[in-house]
Amino acid sequence: MADDERLARFIRETLRSAEQQLSDAKKAYQNGKRSAEAGLPRDEEGRARIVCRRHAEYRAVSMDEQRRPVCYDAENPDCQGCVEDIRDGTIETW
């Protein structure tokens, strides 16, 4: 029985690892696709490389379905300006 239990545990762990890798690959693909659609440079995980106006720092950020950084805050004027710059193609990148 011990061998059967070890085999079952090995299969479960391998399956979990494969599921995690697939999930990571899907996220990287979506990040890369949205960043490319917005015309932005990307990091190795597909996140857009922008200079955040709100925090005045270099950031690698995922983009949402509307091609806005996921950190976007509709109430913040810096975030609003960032999205406008992305749409105009004038966002500062690195």
Side-chain angles (χ1 to χ4, degrees):
M1 274 310 223
D3 288 338
D4 289 342
E5 291 173 14
R6 276 186 257 157
L7 179 60
R9 184 172 13 132
F10 172 76
I11 291 171
R12 279 193 307 273
E13 289 172 0
T14 303
L15 185 57
R16 269 191 225 117
S17 175
E19 288 172 344
Q20 183 62 47
Q21 290 175 14
L22 180 60
S23 175
D24 292 346
K26 285 180 180 180
K27 287 177 189 173
Y29 173 78
Q30 286 299 324
N31 284 335
K33 181 179 174 187
R34 291 178 184 145
S35 296
E37 288 172 347
L40 300 172
R42 301 176 301 267
D43 70 359
E44 62 280 347
E45 295 177 27
R47 298 175 298 188
R49 297 183 337 187
I50 63 172
V51 177
C52 175
R53 292 172 66 166
R54 181 169 153 190
H55 298 285
E57 65 185 13
Y58 294 119
R59 284 201 166 174
V61 295
S62 297
M63 305 292 281
D64 67 12
E65 295 80 25
Q66 287 83 37
R67 293 187 221 138
R68 298 179 304 201
V70 294
C71 56
Y72 174 73
D73 176 5
E75 302 295 318
N76 189 296
D78 288 330
C79 291
Q80 294 168 1
C82 179
V83 170
E84 290 172 10
D85 288 350
I86 289 171
R87 291 188 179 135
D88 294 341
T90 59
I91 187 75
E92 206 175 327
T93 61
W94 52 279

